[in-house]
Amino acid sequence: MEKVVSGIRPTGNLHLGNYFGAVRSFVAMQDKYQCMFFIADWHSLTTHPKPEDIQQSARTILAEYLACGLDPKKAPIYVQSDVRETIELYLYLNMNMYLGELERVTTFKEKARQQPDNVNAGLLTYPTLMAADILQHRANWVPVGKDQEQNMEMARKCARRFNNIYGVEFFPEPQNFYFSDQAVKIPGLDGSGKMGKSEGNCIYLRDDDKTITKKVMRAVTDNGPQEPNSQRPDVIENLFTFLRIVSTPDTYQYFDEKWNDCTLRYGDLKKQIAADLVAVVAPIREKIEYYSANTELLDQIAREGAEVARESARATLNEVRRIIGFRV
Ligand code: TRP
């Protein structure tokens, strides 16, 4: 079976955009591939987080992914820093990566601009660490967003170069698996195109029913339909996108007809969306609360995941050491 590996940045809480994007595709993939997921806490060191926040951020994101349906029995989930084997591969791969090409990576240039006082070597070799994450399991597929294209190109370069230098066919070149091709893009409810953390317009999976309802009821609208069967402006189409995602087809059709004959009242539409959205989010939130209150269970899941990951990494590393010429 083909292997899938993906890293998750431990940056805060999941919102609906994440849920209907990456998270749901991870959940779907665990039934079709041999998947492994991990929380990229080493990568987060490039911005120097506080020691007391490191474990907490990992637990938070772990609780949320589990609540969304990641099943450690199907796909081990581990914390990157628990699998120290990765670092050895990272070192070997770094020997074959060149300063010039690492400096040309857009995300590096962007980060260097954002944090000019902290342009550290970890930032520069971020793509190598990511390549090590992937290649240590000899993964075939990596579910990523478009923003990771260049990092994935670097991972393939690492694989290719290693194979060429040593004249082996050892690492498969990991391919991008674009979940955005199937995922539903969640619009913002503030009139902006997209729901995102930097847009500050998120509905979080941790939001309680009242907060969700309030956020939906505040959604930007216009003066209402003016002519029968007219095209919907973006802000209204955004509401219908929500309806399509969280409500039944009948409900969608009902409001679509109301729009078309100009009898739609936005208040009713929003109430419907809020109620149906709450029905989706509330059970997930309850699971998040369950896992968050149970750190022992979370740590146990991460420990078991790390064991599987370590075994897989060690097997790869033994071969790599042999190929390079080291004792195994
Ligand atoms: N760079 C990824 C991101 O910013 C996170 C990540 C780290 C990753 N290592 C990975 C993703 C390995 C896929 C595979 O989202």
Side-chain angles (χ1 to χ4, degrees):
M1 193 161 33
E2 298 209 296
K3 285 191 192 167
V4 170
V5 168
S6 196
I8 299 160
R9 261 175 302 163
T11 50
N13 302 115
L14 292 177
H15 55 75
L16 288 178
N18 303 132
Y19 178 69
F20 287 104
V23 183
R24 282 219 316 196
S25 49
F26 284 12
V27 171
M29 286 177 105
Q30 60 185 355
D31 291 317
K32 298 197 203 97
Y33 300 91
Q34 194 184 329
C35 293
M36 250 194 261
F37 300 109
F38 68 92
I39 295 161
D41 59 347
W42 270 332
H43 276 111
S44 73
L45 288 184
T46 52
T47 53
H48 300 172
K50 291 204 230 67
E52 58 270 32
D53 292 341
I54 296 234
Q55 283 196 49
Q56 196 44 50
S57 333
R59 283 188 187 126
T60 301
I61 201 75
L62 179 57
E64 298 198 357
Y65 269 82
L66 292 170
C68 291
L70 271 204
D71 180 354
K73 286 198 200 71
K74 294 179 189 162
I77 174 156
Y78 64 96
V79 178
Q80 188 183 31
S81 61
D82 284 341
V83 181
R84 299 175 201 197
E85 282 76 2
T86 317
I87 294 302
E88 190 176 337
L89 184 57
Y90 169 62
L91 181 136
Y92 299 144
L93 297 176
N94 261 334
M95 301 301 165
N96 309 332
M97 299 310 282
Y98 296 97
L99 182 59
E101 64 192 354
L102 289 166
E103 277 174 338
R104 276 195 300 276
V105 174
T106 319
T107 38
F108 171 72
K109 288 195 278 194
E110 236 165 67
K111 280 279 176 189
R113 200 156 29 79
Q114 282 167 15
Q115 46 184 72
D117 301 328
N118 182 20
V119 187
N120 58 66
L123 215 47
L124 183 71
T125 57
Y126 185 111
T128 321
L129 182 54
M130 183 160 157
D133 291 329
I134 298 163
L135 300 183
Q136 67 180 345
H137 303 305
R138 302 173 74 191
N140 308 97
W141 293 99
V142 180
V144 285
K146 297 263 185 255
D147 61 325
Q148 295 298 310
E149 235 158 43
Q150 229 179 348
N151 285 337
M152 285 304 299
E153 195 44 64
M154 295 300 269
R156 281 189 287 275
K157 211 176 253 188
C158 276
R160 232 173 5 242
R161 223 170 257 171
F162 183 92
N163 291 346
N164 286 339
I165 289 175
Y166 296 102
V168 291
E169 281 293 325
F170 184 64
F171 287 121
E173 284 183 35
Q175 302 303 307
N176 304 11
F177 187 103
Y178 291 119
F179 47 74
S180 49
D181 290 352
Q182 308 137 25
V184 208
K185 208 166 114 209
I186 302 295
L189 287 177
D190 54 354
S192 75
K194 162 175 177 252
M195 183 176 287
K197 204 157 286 169
S198 44
E199 283 79 4
N201 59 4
C202 294
I203 296 175
Y204 292 95
L205 298 179
R206 280 186 195 252
D207 282 347
D208 60 28
D209 297 354
K210 238 168 96 189
T211 307
I212 294 172
T213 307
K214 218 180 339 167
K215 286 180 178 174
V216 174
M217 297 310 288
R218 272 205 310 251
V220 175
T221 52
D222 61 6
N223 299 329
Q226 307 294 317
E227 279 172 45
N229 303 311
S230 56
Q231 207 195 333
R232 286 190 280 263
D234 286 350
V235 282
I236 306 307
E237 190 54 37
N238 286 351
L239 287 174
F240 275 83
T241 299
F242 267 84
L243 204 56
R244 202 177 298 121
I245 294 165
V246 297
S247 307
T248 63
D250 283 355
T251 308
Y252 182 88
Q253 202 187 339
Y254 171 83
F255 284 102
D256 190 39
E257 277 163 18
K258 291 238 155 216
W259 165 267
N260 282 328
D261 65 17
C262 298
T263 56
L264 176 62
R265 293 204 323 233
Y266 292 142
D268 297 339
L269 173 62
K270 289 177 180 180
K271 264 187 225 150
Q272 180 77 45
I273 293 171
D276 292 341
L277 193 52
V278 162
V280 172
V281 176
I284 299 175
R285 182 183 63 237
E286 280 160 25
K287 285 185 204 141
I288 294 177
E289 285 162 3
Y290 164 76
Y291 282 113
S292 298
N294 206 334
T295 45
E296 255 167 59
L297 174 63
L298 287 179
D299 292 353
Q300 171 74 16
I301 288 169
R303 249 196 318 273
E304 285 171 9
E307 254 164 59
V308 181
R310 230 179 276 132
E311 201 168 304
S312 150
R314 217 175 281 147
T316 304
L317 211 45
N318 281 343
E319 280 308 306
V320 167
R321 288 183 66 100
R322 210 189 313 273
I323 292 167
I324 295 179
F326 289 123
R327 248 203 309 273
V328 175

